[in-house]
Amino acid sequence: MSTDENDTAEESSASPRTRSVDVVVVGAGTSGCYAAATIANAGYDVTIVERKPAEEAGHIACGDALKGADAFPEAIPKSKIEPAFTNTEVDHGRFEIPQEDTVLDIPVPGELAVIDRWEYGRLIIEGAEEAGAELHYDTVVQDVKQDDDGTVTGIVGKHDGEVVEYDADIVIDGAGSLSLLQDKVDFSDATFDTNVSYQHFSSAYREVVEVPEPVEWSDALVFKPAEVAAGYVWYFPRTETTINAGLGFQMTEEPMKLVDDLKRDLRERPEFEGAEVVDKLGAALPTRRPYDSATAPGYMAVGDAAAHVNPTTGGGIAGAAYAGKYAGEQAAIALEAGDVSEEMLWRYNRRVMDHFGGRYASLDVYNILSTAVDVDDLMGLIASIPGEKLAEALYSGTTSFGPVLLAQTAASSYGHWSQIYEFFKIKRLADELLAHYGRYPSRPSALEGWKVERDRIMDDIYELTGADPKY
């Protein structure tokens, strides 16, 4: 071989492989798979790139509790994922409050289930493939491609040590909490929410534990406060003898100390004597309001990558599925029109806010409250609130906690009157915030004006709670 031939061969091996698709989705989680399936069903070429190998894909740290199990987007039929539903008998929450020597049974609206998250992960990937999406495993995204006008045009990754580029009309970021893509995109000409910090996220750790005898509470999701107000322990029964035991806590807390709290609690519970740990996993998750905007030209963020998570419980499966559906449908509309501008993609933001985004933003008010009060005071407050009203606050973002109920509750809850009254005032501000999200703008140019009023309401919330500003 001549020197020239040698140079040509080396140059060829060093140059990246390039693939061209209509849409590239980063991450094979819930939002990514539902987005890809929706786009493929509309007749467009879509590829999901996933950093894990095929045998590990879908293995994600999760509490395994699924609220809204009866309502999933049709892009991946519910019948496809039902084999992962291991416990459909759960029908309420069980809130253990040792400080008050109290156990609260809290009704949870909607259909509940506990799932095998890894099996569910495999099934939604299969569902996306059956719809026509391609899956590329072992591909780690390293950069984002962007035109001079700010339009995102693809991604750059590595597969088996080889650089691979994906040229795409639209990139959908389903890469999870603290997504690398958002560090790489220049959002200066977009409305995309960059007001994000580590304080907006929690760490979660869970173990799947096999116990020797059936637990008495196999029909309940068990919650228990951690040693600090910024965290909680959970016990969610996949079956009568397989328990997902875990905890979530703000990233401002010491992780190992709180993991020790979980392990100590496991040792002290008689039902876990002789138990065997069969799986361990940790992750980060958002515990904040959804991004004000999750769009930029040629780009949408979905699921955890856009904080589409109930900030009080960490639950995010159903919201992520619908975010994927809405992003996929808007991507198909944009591709049909040949227009991937932020103006064209904006309706995705509006649909998210109308469906669950406003509710999650109002729920974040209670998260803010929890950071400003002593854990014993917080538990006293929770123990004093009627269970159905607490459930409304935790899941719907509002509750009919009016003056009459306030007086009745206070009369029967001597010692916690001041906390109950503060909750009543906080609830009114949460309702005001929820109503304002109902007026979320229909175009990107109106976002700044909408944020002025939203931030005024937030200032009132900070002043009332005494909490440090979160955003």
Side-chain angles (χ1 to χ4, degrees):
M1 184 182 289
S2 68
T3 302
D4 288 345
E5 288 174 330
N6 227 357
D7 290 343
T8 301
E10 288 178 7
E11 186 177 311
S12 175
S13 65
S15 61
R17 289 185 295 128
T18 301
R19 302 172 183 269
S20 295
V21 292
D22 295 321
V23 180
V24 62
V25 177
V26 180
T30 297
S31 57
C33 285
Y34 275 89
T38 301
I39 293 162
N41 284 331
Y44 292 98
D45 294 329
V46 56
T47 296
I48 302 174
V49 297
E50 167 58 42
R51 63 181 176 84
K52 293 179 179 178
E55 60 272 15
E56 283 288 323
H59 191 202
I60 294 172
C62 180
D64 293 345
L66 175 59
K67 181 183 177 294
D70 54 332
F72 259 69
E74 65 285 349
I76 300 174
K78 184 184 175 185
S79 59
K80 179 68 185 178
I81 61 174
E82 280 181 323
F85 290 25
T86 58
N87 184 355
T88 57
E89 299 302 313
V90 287
D91 60 9
H92 68 285
R94 174 185 169 92
F95 208 119
E96 299 179 354
I97 309 177
Q99 296 93 326
E100 298 288 322
D101 193 24
T102 297
V103 175
L104 296 177
D105 287 327
I106 303 172
V108 179
E111 184 177 327
L112 284 178
V114 182
I115 65 174
D116 179 331
R117 181 60 181 80
W118 198 351
E119 180 61 18
Y120 164 84
R122 294 187 187 104
L123 292 173
I124 59 172
I125 288 171
E126 284 181 11
E129 289 182 304
E130 289 168 3
E134 279 195 26
L135 263 291
H136 293 180
Y137 299 102
D138 282 312
T139 303
V140 179
V141 176
Q142 297 184 315
D143 207 351
V144 174
K145 303 174 76 172
Q146 195 168 8
D147 279 350
D148 291 340
D149 66 0
T151 301
V152 175
T153 60
I155 59 170
V156 180
K158 263 198 173 180
H159 173 75
D160 287 341
E162 182 181 6
V163 176
V164 56
E165 296 186 2
Y166 292 82
D167 289 338
D169 293 313
I170 297 173
V171 172
I172 294 181
D173 176 5
S177 300
L178 306 169
S179 167
L180 171 72
L181 279 70
Q182 293 169 29
D183 294 331
K184 299 294 184 179
V185 177
D186 178 2
F187 291 118
S188 56
D189 293 325
T191 62
F192 193 91
D193 193 345
T194 57
N195 182 17
V196 181
S197 79
Y198 79 98
Q199 295 173 317
H200 301 164
F201 295 85
S202 289
S203 295
Y205 171 78
R206 68 99 175 102
E207 298 179 349
V208 178
V209 182
E210 297 280 359
V211 298
E213 299 292 335
V215 296
E216 294 180 356
W217 36 264
S218 61
D219 61 345
L221 303 178
V222 178
F223 299 87
K224 184 178 180 179
E227 296 295 322
V228 294
Y232 73 91
V233 173
W234 71 73
Y235 298 104
F236 296 165
R238 279 191 185 176
T239 69
E240 291 183 330
T241 57
T242 303
I243 313 300
N244 182 311
L247 80 164
F249 49 89
Q250 293 295 129
M251 284 189 173
T252 51
E253 302 296 331
E254 295 181 36
M256 291 316 298
K257 178 182 181 301
L258 286 162
V259 170
D260 288 343
D261 290 344
L262 171 64
K263 292 182 180 295
R264 182 172 62 253
D265 202 58
L266 283 166
R267 288 194 300 269
E268 293 174 354
R269 297 180 76 99
E271 62 264 52
F272 286 93
E273 185 176 352
E276 178 187 0
V277 177
V278 296
D279 193 29
K280 300 179 181 180
L281 209 58
L285 70 155
T287 44
R288 53 154 289 157
R289 68 191 181 204
Y291 285 11
D292 291 346
S293 167
T295 58
Y299 180 92
M300 288 179 279
V302 292
D304 282 10
H308 294 154
V309 173
N310 182 327
T312 60
T313 66
I317 294 176
Y322 275 97
K325 165 189 167 73
Y326 299 149
E329 289 177 346
Q330 201 58 36
I333 291 169
L335 291 168
E336 179 67 21
D339 177 5
V340 299
S341 66
E342 185 167 32
E343 188 85 30
M344 174 59 75
L345 300 179
W346 184 260
R347 185 166 177 264
Y348 158 66
N349 283 331
R350 180 69 183 265
R351 295 183 75 188
V352 165
M353 293 304 185
D354 285 348
H355 184 172
F356 61 83
R359 177 163 51 92
Y360 286 179
S362 65
L363 286 168
D364 191 41
V365 173
Y366 302 106
N367 238 15
I368 291 168
L369 172 64
S370 74
T371 67
V373 298
D374 178 81
V375 64
D376 289 338
D377 288 343
L378 181 63
M379 292 307 106
L381 168 63
I382 290 173
S384 302
I385 298 172
E388 69 275 10
K389 300 305 174 186
L390 185 61
E392 289 174 5
L394 289 175
Y395 291 100
S396 69
T398 186
T399 175
S400 53
F401 200 84
V404 174
L405 182 60
L406 172 68
Q408 292 172 343
T409 304
S412 62
S413 305
Y414 179 76
H416 298 296
W417 190 88
S418 62
Q419 292 98 328
I420 294 167
Y421 185 59
E422 182 168 341
F423 179 83
F424 172 68
K425 292 188 290 183
I426 288 295
K427 173 262 177 191
R428 294 180 68 176
L429 287 174
D431 287 352
E432 185 180 352
L433 187 66
L434 180 60
H436 185 63
Y437 270 81
R439 298 186 289 273
Y440 185 83
S442 58
R443 60 189 188 281
S445 59
L447 182 64
E448 286 303 315
W450 177 86
K451 285 165 59 177
V452 168
E453 175 62 12
R454 190 275 313 277
D455 292 346
R456 181 200 64 76
I457 299 170
M458 292 303 301
D459 286 342
D460 290 345
I461 290 165
Y462 296 134
E463 182 177 359
L464 177 59
T465 60
D468 292 331
K470 187 173 181 178
Y471 301 100

